[in-house]
Amino acid sequence: MAERRSVGDARRVVVKVGSSSLTTPAGGIDSDRLAALVDVLAGHQQSGHQVVLVSSGAIAAGLAPLGLPRRPRDLATQQAAASVGQGRLLREYAERFGGHGVVVGQVLLTPDDLVRRSHHRNAQRTLERLLRLGVVPIVNENDTVATDEIRFGDNDRLAALVAHLLRADALVLLSDVDGLYDAPPDRPGARRVAEIRTEDDLAVVRLNRGSSTGTGRGGMLAKVAAARIATAGGVPVVVAAAGDAGAVLAGQPVGTYFHPAATRTSSRLLWLAHATAGRGSLTLDPGAVRAVVSRRASLLAAGVVGVDGTFAAGEPVDLLDENGHTVARGLVNFDSAELPRLLGRSTRDLARELGSDYEREIVHRDDIVLVRADRSGP
């Protein structure tokens, strides 16, 4: 119970709500459910807490006005729906929060805003200032300009990264399901899993990939992945039903509670693992894979057997084993045009032939994060 009370006592909390909890099956905004959520969040904010709301629903809210029967598959139509729906969604939030005397501000983010140092500092400053001014930031991915290659993928992951960006005290992921279960929730005898302490606890959990309504990108897999990101940085997470938002923020034992990790992963490595995509890849020989993965050593030119893609020095690249599986991601010290002539050669030989600038690692160990096979955590 002490852990749950810590969520209720959190000075700064990030709350994420999914499309299925805000919209009707036809794609319009469900004003009653949105109003109920706003009542809870406004009350929490006015009782002395700082609240950041990461809200899905822009694309879903744009479906009905555009006469679309379901979420479109192609990116251009998704972006058109987001363009129409985002304004409608924010207007609804502004009116509902305004009824409580609370001002809201819209913050639309892309992965670049959390990866590029100048961008993420600006995003951080803006959000911090909004909170100091007593504003509730309404955060969403900037779907109208995102591309398939460069996007967060789901707002659960965005919420986890925002929680890190703002050093939040808790993250609450709201859904149309009231937590994680050991079987499909509608099956007789299915039991809600009250807490997750380790990866072993997830062995009993039955996960679904998609939203039950078909209006969102998330699902329990996405929420578990987001929880891994947040807890790795020391942020506790609760996954619960949107209707239980008040109980969660009051510290009551609803939903599924994810304990924060005892040893925190730095925000820099978490962003490298979860807010970046490799601009290219380097294939490693078995010895280099062992050095990087087991010994956490730097990657040297002698251990690289292949280069793929076009990238500049300082950009993220995926590090692959001989079978093409990603084992790590790192910030490379050379651009893709330079690397082919360096492969398989010792650092000493390169320095003797090409100069002292080449007497360094291809990727330094401090700039490498190991990547899980399911891409869900470092």
Side-chain angles (χ1 to χ4, degrees):
M1 288 296 293
E3 295 90 352
R4 297 304 188 116
R5 285 195 297 272
S6 72
V7 175
D9 294 338
R11 180 184 68 89
R12 177 176 292 178
V13 60
V14 175
V15 178
K16 183 268 177 179
V17 62
S19 298
S20 60
S21 301
L22 293 175
T23 56
T24 66
I29 298 171
D30 190 319
S31 295
D32 291 339
R33 289 199 287 177
L34 186 144
L37 175 63
V38 168
D39 289 346
V40 169
L41 299 183
H44 199 61
Q45 192 249 26
Q46 292 176 324
S47 66
H49 304 269
Q50 293 181 336
V51 176
V52 178
L53 176 60
V54 178
S55 177
S56 300
I59 293 177
L63 298 183
L66 294 177
L68 300 173
R70 63 185 63 84
R71 182 186 178 93
R73 293 175 178 266
D74 66 290
L75 182 60
T77 309
Q78 288 178 19
Q79 291 174 318
S83 178
V84 172
Q86 186 65 44
R88 290 170 170 261
L89 187 62
L90 186 67
R91 181 180 64 193
E92 188 88 10
Y93 276 128
E95 290 176 355
R96 296 293 183 177
F97 273 104
H100 295 274
V102 177
V103 176
V104 301
Q106 178 174 256
V107 180
L108 300 178
L109 297 174
T110 66
D112 263 1
D113 296 320
L114 296 186
V115 175
R116 295 184 185 275
R117 191 171 183 82
S118 60
H119 289 208
H120 94 250
R121 281 182 172 176
N122 187 57
Q124 185 181 51
R125 282 196 298 265
T126 299
L127 287 165
E128 290 279 3
R129 183 58 58 87
L130 287 170
L131 291 171
R132 290 196 188 101
L133 291 170
V135 174
V136 172
I138 310 292
V139 181
N140 195 0
E141 180 168 9
N142 195 345
D143 284 305
T144 59
V145 300
T147 67
D148 278 329
E149 294 79 16
I150 307 174
R151 67 188 314 168
F152 290 106
D154 61 74
N155 274 344
D156 297 301
R157 185 163 70 116
L158 171 59
L161 292 167
V162 168
H164 281 295
L165 185 74
L166 292 175
R167 299 179 180 87
D169 302 301
L171 170 63
V172 178
L173 301 174
L174 300 176
S175 172
D176 52 356
V177 181
D178 63 342
L180 275 63
Y181 278 77
D182 62 359
D186 56 356
R187 179 179 296 176
R191 293 182 299 175
R192 177 173 57 86
V193 179
E195 59 181 350
I196 300 292
R197 290 183 179 272
T198 67
E199 286 292 317
D200 291 340
D201 294 335
L202 286 170
V204 301
V205 175
R206 179 66 176 262
L207 301 176
N208 66 294
R209 287 189 174 273
S211 166
S212 59
T213 66
T215 58
R217 288 197 296 261
M220 284 301 165
L221 274 176
K223 287 168 180 56
V224 168
R228 285 180 174 132
I229 297 170
T231 55
V235 180
V237 179
V238 178
V239 175
D244 290 333
V248 174
L249 295 177
Q252 297 178 20
V254 298
T256 299
Y257 178 88
F258 287 77
H259 290 259
T263 303
R264 296 189 177 193
T265 302
S266 73
S267 292
R268 184 167 177 273
L269 290 182
L270 284 165
W271 291 333
L272 180 59
H274 301 287
T276 65
R279 308 295 190 187
S281 64
L282 305 178
T283 300
L284 283 54
D285 66 25
V289 171
R290 288 192 297 271
V292 168
V293 174
S294 301
R295 302 203 309 271
R296 301 296 180 96
S298 298
L299 176 63
L300 304 180
V304 182
V305 297
V307 181
D308 186 60
T310 302
F311 48 84
E315 290 191 322
V317 295
D318 290 333
L319 307 183
L320 314 180
D321 64 18
E322 287 185 313
N323 298 315
H325 300 138
T326 302
V327 297
R329 183 171 298 135
L331 301 178
V332 66
N333 286 325
F334 300 91
D335 63 42
S336 53
E338 290 180 285
L339 280 173
R341 63 175 175 161
L342 311 183
L343 303 190
R345 303 179 63 184
S346 73
T347 304
R348 182 177 300 175
D349 287 345
L350 290 172
R352 184 168 53 246
E353 179 182 334
L354 301 175
S356 59
D357 284 348
Y358 291 85
E359 194 173 9
R360 54 186 169 138
E361 308 86 351
I362 300 298
V363 185
H364 191 276
R365 64 185 181 184
D366 291 344
D367 293 327
I368 294 176
V369 61
L370 302 186
V371 177
R372 296 168 53 90
D374 60 4
R375 296 288 186 103
S376 60

